[in-house]
């Protein structure tokens, strides 16, 4: 997959998350909204279940601070890019690409 396609996917996911989070400050809802909005951006995202992803990725995490919520949003996007879409970029690069775009 071309790096520009991956960058566009990350940008779209980040924008969807940021827009929803800024309206109601609920990270869980913003992440579900983000995944629903981005299902049409890539064929491999169409069959995901946002709630199942959030449950499996958040087990045992303390998400009580705004910074931790931001980091979790980045983790979800990196997971989607790496494990669902199948990005060939290194995880560290995906993290860098994502962290700069998540505001909340």
């Amino acid at each position: 997959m071309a790096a520009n396609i991956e960058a566009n996917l990350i940008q779209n996911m980040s924008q969807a998350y940021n827009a929803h989070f800024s309206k109601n400050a609920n990270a869980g809802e913003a992440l579900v909204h983000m995944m629903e909005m981005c299902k049409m951006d890539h064929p491999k995202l169409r069959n995901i279940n946002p709630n199942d992803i959030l449950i499996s990725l958040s087990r045992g995490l303390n998400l009580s601070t705004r910074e931790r919520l931001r980091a979790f949003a980045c983790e979800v996007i990196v997971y989607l890019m790496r494990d669902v879409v199948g990005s060939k970029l290194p995880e560290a690069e995906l993290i860098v690409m994502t962290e700069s775009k998540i505001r909340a």
Side-chain angles (χ1 to χ4, degrees):
M1 179 184 307
N4 62 343
I5 292 172
E6 293 174 352
N8 287 337
L9 282 170
I10 291 171
Q11 180 66 34
N12 291 348
M13 286 188 241
S14 299
Q15 284 179 340
Y17 172 80
N18 290 335
H20 195 82
F21 188 81
S22 68
K23 289 179 186 172
N24 69 6
N26 183 316
E29 283 182 18
L31 287 166
V32 168
H33 171 78
M34 172 201 77
M35 287 186 261
E36 291 294 337
M37 295 300 297
C38 294
K39 281 186 173 185
M40 294 302 129
D41 289 345
H42 193 277
K44 292 184 177 180
L45 294 173
R46 290 186 183 137
N47 296 322
I48 61 171
N49 182 324
N51 291 320
D52 288 348
I53 290 171
L54 292 181
I55 289 168
S56 67
L57 294 178
S58 67
R59 284 199 176 119
L61 292 180
N62 179 356
L63 300 173
S64 60
T65 67
R66 195 166 182 97
E67 186 54 38
R68 188 61 199 123
L69 290 173
R70 182 179 173 279
F72 181 64
C74 290
E75 290 172 24
V76 170
I77 292 173
V78 169
Y79 166 80
L80 291 171
M81 293 301 299
R82 187 189 64 228
D83 295 358
V84 177
V85 172
S87 174
K88 300 298 184 213
L89 293 174
E91 183 174 353
E93 189 172 340
L94 290 171
I95 291 169
V96 169
M97 291 172 67
T98 305
E99 284 180 333
S100 64
K101 292 176 179 54
I102 297 293
R103 291 187 312 244

